Amino acid sequence: MAKKTSGRPSSHKHKKQFGQNFLNNGRIIDQIVAAIRPQMSDHMVEIGPGEAALTRPLIERVKKLDIIEIDNDLIAPLKIQFASKPAFHLHHTDALKFDYGTLLDEGEQSLRIVGNLPYNISSPLMFHLLTYAPYIEDMHFMLQKEVVDRITANPGIKAYGRLSVMLQYACETEYLFTVGPENFTPPPKVESAIVRLIPHKTKPFIAEDEKTFSDIVRQSFSQKRKTLRNNLKGWLSSEQIEQCEIDPSIRAETIPVEGFVKLANRYFQQHSI
Ligand code: SAM
């Protein structure tokens, strides 16, 4: 079957430092939009519109679309293309530093975030966005497949690590589908995938102090081959780990999110007195 393209030849010089791999296949774009399921009542935020492959279909289907783009050269073409669309609001800025709370209109509860993300900033950007989790209904991202594998991995799987624990603590995570390099211009070196993240309205397990939780998770995975007892030396003793109903001789990669929450709370209780 002939490939359906997004149909916009471009003279834009793709910039590697901004992770510019633009979607070129209309079928994949349709598949992503179908997965997002935009609604006319939605206030959506698109990070990194590029040449608007996703912006074009989204802008027709939502109440408001805030767009965040860093590349100066893409700003004028975006303005020209969408100036007449009432839903369109462009922010020429760095998505990593942006205050997403400022986007909420009076009385508004939540934003939906989407983006074919520049791979070099995807993890810090997701951590930044998680600080706004109470104001986010859901997020749909295109990321490196390997990163989506890590985000959605279960304990005991090789891909399970700090990113899995931190994102699964805050969100329900779902691997949606894989997208091959040929669907981008220029093609990236690796496969990509779409992930859905839905911040928990009520977290299943609550860390009393999220900074401690983050520190314990980082420390537990600091040396992947070492046991929990070794990685947490100076933080929690074997006895204290056992009090959390966790075997200190296992490795962090087999411990579910709940276990890290218990360890963090154990540590926090002891040090907050
Ligand atoms: N959405 C377009 C598509 O799917 O074809 C482009 C996606 S491209 C992978 C990533 C986009 O994010 C580029 O337009 C790039 O300029 C932009 N970008 C990169 N770093 C950014 C940042 N820190 N803040 C905002 N936009 C950024």
Side-chain angles (χ1 to χ4, degrees):
M1 208 205 311
K3 188 161 93 175
K4 181 181 159 193
T5 69
S6 66
R8 304 251 168 168
S10 140
S11 58
H12 178 74
K13 201 168 171 330
H14 298 93
K15 299 193 181 87
K16 214 172 168 186
Q17 87 262 30
F18 292 143
Q20 291 182 347
N21 303 99
F22 293 164
L23 279 163
N24 63 21
N25 183 344
R27 269 186 295 120
I28 298 289
I29 294 165
D30 289 349
Q31 208 181 333
I32 297 169
V33 173
I36 295 170
R37 286 187 233 123
Q39 307 290 320
M40 266 335 278
S41 54
D42 287 343
H43 183 171
M44 206 168 268
V45 181
E46 187 192 1
I47 298 172
E51 291 188 308
L54 291 169
T55 320
R56 272 190 296 278
L58 289 175
I59 204 142
E60 303 298 341
R61 293 169 168 83
V62 297
K63 178 182 71 180
K64 190 168 181 184
L65 185 60
D66 280 292
I67 295 162
I68 302 169
E69 175 57 62
I70 200 168
D71 185 356
N72 205 26
D73 294 345
L74 293 168
I75 299 302
L78 285 165
K79 280 187 182 160
I80 292 166
Q81 213 179 140
F82 298 111
S84 65
K85 302 280 178 192
F88 177 72
H89 297 266
L90 179 63
H91 307 265
H92 179 197
T93 185
D94 182 348
L96 278 173
K97 297 190 183 137
F98 189 70
D99 179 355
Y100 294 82
T102 61
L103 296 180
L104 285 166
D105 293 321
E106 183 104 15
E108 221 174 25
Q109 301 294 328
S110 64
L111 303 167
R112 302 190 68 199
I113 318 273
V114 302
N116 171 12
L117 295 189
Y119 295 153
N120 49 344
I121 63 159
S122 61
S123 291
L125 185 57
M126 284 187 287
F127 281 107
H128 179 55
L129 285 165
L130 283 184
T131 63
Y132 299 93
Y135 310 114
I136 297 177
E137 186 181 330
D138 59 18
M139 303 182 259
H140 289 82
F141 294 133
M142 171 98 73
L143 305 168
Q144 254 175 280
K145 178 183 182 303
E146 183 240 317
V147 175
V148 178
D149 283 337
R150 289 202 275 138
I151 291 172
T152 56
N154 288 322
I157 308 266
K158 198 164 159 250
Y160 186 75
R162 185 171 100 86
L163 196 61
S164 333
V165 177
M166 294 308 294
L167 284 174
Q168 292 173 26
Y169 170 75
C171 303
E172 196 184 301
T173 69
E174 191 181 348
Y175 188 112
L176 294 182
F177 52 90
T178 309
V179 181
E182 69 282 6
N183 298 295
F184 301 85
T185 307
K189 290 198 175 64
V190 292
E191 291 208 292
S192 305
I194 300 282
V195 67
R196 175 180 292 145
L197 305 171
I198 305 179
H200 296 303
K201 292 265 178 292
T202 310
K203 289 194 178 81
F205 314 106
I206 297 179
E208 288 171 40
D209 180 63
E210 293 194 352
K211 164 85 173 67
T212 304
F213 175 68
S214 167
D215 289 346
I216 285 282
V217 174
R218 183 182 285 106
Q219 192 58 32
S220 300
F221 284 103
S222 55
Q223 301 205 51
K224 263 208 138 184
R225 304 196 141 271
K226 285 199 171 178
T227 63
L228 197 59
R229 177 195 291 121
N230 277 324
N231 278 337
L232 289 183
K233 206 167 254 167
W235 290 72
L236 290 167
S237 66
S238 292
E239 222 172 52
Q240 289 167 329
I241 296 173
E242 274 164 4
Q243 285 162 5
C244 299
E245 295 164 340
I246 296 170
D247 177 354
S249 67
I250 60 174
R251 289 184 189 158
E253 67 203 33
T254 61
I255 301 171
V257 174
E258 182 186 9
F260 291 104
V261 171
K262 282 186 184 167
L263 292 167
N265 288 348
R266 179 74 186 79
Y267 179 87
F268 185 66
Q269 280 151 17
Q270 191 175 320
H271 289 81
S272 61
I273 301 162

